Amino acid sequence: MKPNLLKEFLFFLCGMRRLYRVHGSSMHPLLRDGDIVLIKTKKRKLSLTPGDIVICEHPYKRKKIIKQISYIEQSNGRIYLKGLNELESEDSSLFGALKSKHVLGLVTVIV
């Protein structure tokens, strides 16, 4: 097992990471429908940067989405998200920027 994967697995066993199953193809080719990722939840403040993959609450629908952060407004902390598969993605190009409260976790590893 790779050192980072081992560390993340130990964090999972200690309750510091959660499993999430990817639904849909909006993050293809990085993530495919059915892939499993480990996420660091907001028990502690997350340090987010553009390029990070995050799990968020959709702002208008009752579902979770997984997207890449494209930009963070420093003045108010609003986050712009993008899917890697533009033809299949509901992201900030449709619903605008999200408040940081919509972010549920940061993807740390693809299992």
Side-chain angles (χ1 to χ4, degrees):
M1 209 180 263
K2 294 180 182 177
N4 190 46
L5 188 57
L6 178 60
K7 178 180 84 170
E8 292 297 321
F9 180 68
L10 291 173
F11 284 153
F12 171 72
L13 292 177
C14 294
M16 298 172 66
R17 298 291 185 268
R18 298 189 71 173
L19 287 175
Y20 178 80
R21 181 180 301 274
V22 175
H23 300 281
S25 59
S26 69
M27 289 298 290
H28 188 270
L30 179 64
L31 298 170
R32 291 182 164 75
D33 186 44
D35 281 354
I36 303 290
V37 295
L38 289 178
I39 62 168
K40 181 179 182 178
T41 60
K42 289 180 70 168
K43 289 180 182 175
R44 298 187 199 123
K45 182 170 172 61
L46 296 174
S47 177
L48 302 174
T49 59
D52 286 344
I53 307 296
V54 291
I55 307 291
C56 299
E57 295 173 353
H58 193 288
Y60 304 116
K61 299 179 181 177
R62 295 186 62 175
K63 68 177 187 176
K64 295 177 182 138
I65 56 175
I66 184 166
K67 302 290 177 221
Q68 185 176 46
I69 296 175
S70 60
Y71 180 73
I72 301 173
E73 289 182 357
Q74 296 303 320
S75 60
N76 58 20
R78 292 177 69 86
I79 298 169
Y80 290 84
L81 303 173
K82 69 175 181 176
L84 301 180
N85 182 355
E86 293 177 14
L87 297 175
E88 296 289 327
S89 184
E90 289 184 35
D91 54 27
S92 290
S93 65
L94 294 173
F95 53 69
L98 293 180
K99 294 178 182 177
S100 60
K101 71 177 185 178
H102 286 99
V103 176
L104 301 174
L106 171 68
V107 173
T108 57
V109 70
I110 303 166
V111 180

